[in-house]
Amino acid sequence: MNPGRPAGVDLKAILEQAPFGLTIADSDGQCVYTNQRGNLCSSALDTQSLRELRFISESAGRAFTCSFWLDMETTPPADEEIFRLAFFDELTGLPNKTLLARTISAELQALSGAEAALMLIDLDGLGRTNDYYGASFADGLIAAFAERLTASVRRSDILGYLANGMFCVFVTNLADVDLTEYANTILDRSKEPFQVKGIETFSSASIGISMFAKDGRNFEELLVSADQALRGAKSESKGRVSYKPDKAARNVHGDMSVEQRLRTALRDNKLCCAYQPKVDIHTNGVVGVETLLRWRDDDGHLRVLGDFVNLATDAGIIDAVAEHVVVEVMSSLPQIDAVFSPGTSISLNITAHQSTNPEFMRSLLRQLTSYHRPQRFILEITEEAFLNGDLLSKNILPMVREAGVKISIDDFGVGYSSLSALAAVTADELKIDRSFVQNVHQRPRSQSVLKAIESLGRALGMAPVIEGVETREEVDYLKQHTAIRIAQGYHFSKPFALEEFVLEDEALPPARQPEPARTHAPARVPGSRSPRQHP
């Protein structure tokens, strides 16, 4: 007698009378059990009212495919509601990740070596839509996109919704479809206007594709690979289709390693600030410093921790990192004044997402205004943030102005460079990207563009600052052929931590050029009180 089953209970009889169809097949596809409803459901000609759920089960070392069949026209309402809540997303009406994982796993088990693909489809700019219009509008856009996707995918494919504007399509029968063309058709549909809450709005999507079995042999592996491909698509430009690159697995492991190191460094207080001077090229005086984040290793050396801004953003700890930077800067003001001067401006880098987050900006400004001279601080914001238009110019910038803090447009010329967005912004400083000064004395076209950007900035009342200056020839060109006065770069000094230097009273020698620029020890900073390294 089976100790787990009460005496007199006939399990087979119970299953025969169950209000659902059940079929069980072995790994070769041979049916080993089916109940009465299973026979009816699997042979039914009209399957529109039937809903099938598959999953893999193992017994005695053998794998079996179990299929449940529910006739939604005859299923009691309570059962249907329980099923819907457990396996379908409420917003889109599509299968959720739980049902997708089980269904796709069963499909993969039955493929027997045939090719298949997993497409990960992500709505672009959903965060900005949520910030500008609100969560209800963003949900409406997701639901509208779900309807459009449902009409776009083939009936033989499996469509589901994961979360946060992320959809999944499992594509089989690849011999019948050009996968890239199929994906691009979906992207084209995503660019057509949507009507959400009576407002016409435009959007786009990006798609990452992984292939079975090259990029993964189960659902989770394919999902990870498709996510890597999606990140690659978004890193180049949005609204693209991308396949998983051959080295993506190695890169993602590297990213995870760096992310873990970043979390550990934040926890153990091993993140610290380094400062790079901004110099008046005509007087050699330091007029400001840019604050940069560094990681102090176990040997006490400062290291750049890869692209940790994006990693910290993805990991959800970017605000904690920013808080760490601000706290250290505020506590280090006496040392900053001693190494440089009390009149030196202090620049802080703010991500585009942070700069359009009112709650974050209010908290940041409260900290900066606790200092008696908030006008000393400059917030460096990339061009991307200024594309948020009204959100930044009408909500955020007035708060910054009222606090007395200044604004700088960072890396100008390499991002969106939207002149219409720029015209609506009142910034104090325009930081020109280093690509326009690199070997500028030998590049006539760069000279013309640099002159145009300089004139544009001055016309809009923004002081131009050139970054990435590395050679004496570049400095000489700026002096002789432009009106730009402020520059920063390895020609003057690489970023350094305050404790690396002590104070001396003697004057500094003239500015010198490191050779080569990016590997030499830091040059002394002209115009500051003389620093030297601790022995």
Side-chain angles (χ1 to χ4, degrees):
M1 179 181 296
N2 185 344
R5 185 188 305 169
V9 173
D10 188 341
L11 181 60
K12 184 176 181 180
I14 293 175
L15 292 176
E16 286 296 329
Q17 299 300 318
F20 54 79
L22 172 63
T23 61
I24 302 175
D26 61 19
S27 57
D28 296 325
Q30 299 297 316
C31 181
V32 298
Y33 174 77
T34 181
N35 65 0
Q36 183 177 356
R37 283 184 177 269
N39 279 322
L40 294 174
C41 293
S42 60
S43 61
L45 296 177
D46 181 10
T47 60
Q48 292 186 0
S49 65
L50 294 176
R51 183 166 291 163
E52 180 186 8
L53 170 64
R54 293 184 187 177
F55 65 92
I56 304 297
S57 180
E58 292 189 2
S59 177
R62 299 175 60 191
F64 296 89
T65 300
C66 302
S67 298
F68 284 99
W69 301 81
L70 290 175
D71 187 341
M72 303 312 295
E73 292 184 352
T74 59
T75 301
D79 290 351
E80 179 180 354
E81 181 66 11
I82 293 172
F83 186 87
R84 185 186 66 80
L85 291 174
F87 297 112
F88 288 83
D89 174 67
E90 186 173 358
L91 175 62
T92 64
L94 296 174
N96 61 17
K97 186 176 180 181
T98 300
L99 183 54
L100 280 172
R102 297 183 180 185
T103 305
I104 293 175
S105 295
E107 291 288 334
L108 290 172
Q109 187 74 25
L111 279 178
S112 300
E115 282 192 318
L118 188 72
M119 293 197 300
L120 206 55
I121 307 171
D122 187 39
L123 268 173
D124 296 326
L126 191 62
R128 291 200 300 271
T129 300
N130 186 83
D131 290 341
Y132 189 79
Y133 290 106
S136 178
F137 187 93
D139 286 346
L141 178 60
I142 292 172
F145 186 65
E147 291 183 9
R148 193 170 292 180
L149 270 181
T150 302
S152 301
V153 302
R154 303 179 306 170
R155 294 193 59 168
S156 60
D157 299 331
I158 299 173
L159 170 64
Y161 182 68
L162 300 177
N164 302 320
M166 188 87 71
F167 296 80
C168 175
V169 180
F170 183 67
V171 186
T172 55
N173 302 322
L174 294 186
D176 301 333
V177 63
D178 183 317
L179 191 58
T180 302
E181 183 178 336
Y182 185 21
N184 278 314
T185 299
I186 293 175
L187 291 189
D188 290 340
R189 292 296 311 277
S190 74
K191 296 174 184 176
E192 297 173 7
F194 293 89
Q195 287 289 335
V196 180
K197 295 185 177 296
I199 300 174
E200 184 179 58
T201 186
F202 293 85
S203 187
S204 65
S206 300
I207 298 181
I209 302 177
S210 59
M211 304 297 298
F212 174 79
K214 179 173 73 72
D215 301 325
R217 304 196 64 86
N218 57 53
F219 173 70
E220 288 298 334
E221 289 179 359
L222 289 172
L223 194 62
V224 169
S225 295
D227 184 62
Q228 294 166 11
L230 181 63
R231 288 171 180 265
K234 286 181 171 289
S235 67
E236 295 184 25
S237 63
K238 295 177 181 177
R240 293 181 63 254
V241 176
S242 179
Y243 291 81
K244 177 193 170 183
D246 292 338
K247 296 182 180 179
R250 189 185 313 166
N251 291 341
V252 76
H253 290 316
D255 286 350
M256 284 300 297
S257 174
V258 174
E259 178 184 324
Q260 293 306 313
R261 290 169 64 197
L262 177 59
R263 289 181 180 273
T264 302
L266 181 62
R267 182 199 65 191
D268 297 343
N269 202 31
K270 288 188 175 181
L271 295 181
C272 64
C273 294
Y275 300 89
Q276 186 171 39
K278 296 158 66 175
V279 178
D280 186 322
I281 61 176
H282 291 279
T283 66
N284 280 345
V286 175
V287 298
V289 291
E290 179 180 357
T291 308
L292 301 167
L293 191 61
R294 294 294 184 263
W295 169 62
R296 189 180 302 282
D297 64 18
D298 293 336
D299 296 327
H301 299 120
L302 295 185
R303 301 188 184 278
V304 178
L305 201 64
D307 188 14
F308 60 76
V309 172
N310 288 335
L311 286 171
T313 301
D314 292 342
I317 59 173
I318 187 65
D319 289 353
V321 171
E323 170 76 13
H324 178 89
V325 170
V326 173
V327 168
E328 180 171 330
V329 168
M330 299 298 285
S331 63
S332 301
L333 286 173
Q335 291 89 339
I336 294 174
D337 291 347
V339 172
F340 303 106
S341 74
T344 303
S345 66
I346 303 171
S347 297
L348 301 169
N349 289 282
I350 306 299
T351 69
H353 178 73
Q354 289 173 326
S355 66
T356 53
N357 182 338
E359 183 178 350
F360 172 84
M361 291 299 291
R362 276 192 289 268
S363 174
L364 172 63
L365 292 173
R366 277 196 300 269
Q367 290 176 289
L368 298 183
T369 52
S370 66
Y371 179 60
H372 67 282
R373 290 171 54 210
Q375 67 275 14
R376 185 179 183 181
F377 297 103
I378 302 175
L379 301 183
E380 294 193 9
I381 303 173
T382 58
E383 290 176 82
E384 181 184 357
F386 293 92
L387 291 184
N388 282 289
D390 290 347
L391 180 62
L392 187 68
S393 62
K394 293 185 178 180
N395 297 343
I396 303 299
L397 292 185
M399 286 196 304
V400 178
R401 294 296 177 198
E402 184 178 356
V405 177
K406 297 179 180 179
I407 291 289
S408 174
I409 303 178
D410 195 16
D411 296 330
F412 184 81
V414 296
Y416 297 92
S417 299
S418 170
L419 296 183
S420 61
L422 187 62
V425 172
T426 54
D428 303 280
E429 181 180 271
L430 189 67
K431 293 196 77 174
I432 304 171
D433 186 74
R434 70 175 302 269
S435 59
F436 298 105
V437 74
Q438 189 174 25
N439 297 321
V440 65
H441 55 289
Q442 299 173 340
R443 300 164 59 195
R445 293 181 67 85
S446 291
Q447 295 169 11
S448 299
V449 174
L450 180 60
K451 197 72 175 176
I453 295 176
E454 177 193 352
S455 300
L456 176 65
R458 293 193 183 281
L460 295 175
M462 305 178 197
V465 175
I466 193 81
E467 54 185 345
V469 178
E470 296 193 349
T471 68
R472 169 59 62 185
E473 290 80 9
E474 292 167 358
V475 175
D476 290 342
Y477 178 85
L478 294 174
K479 286 182 177 180
Q480 297 168 17
H481 301 284
T482 75
I484 298 173
R485 296 191 65 93
I486 311 303
Q488 69 181 91
Y490 274 49
H491 174 76
F492 307 104
S493 173
K494 75 173 186 179
F496 59 87
L498 297 176
E499 64 268 23
E500 291 181 353
F501 296 83
V502 295
L503 302 176
E504 295 178 351
D505 293 329
E506 72 267 16
L508 282 174
R512 55 188 173 91
Q513 173 186 336
E515 297 288 352
R518 290 204 179 276
T519 58
H520 201 277
R524 290 183 179 178
V525 183
S528 70
R529 298 179 65 184
S530 178
R532 64 174 172 82
Q533 289 184 314
H534 282 296

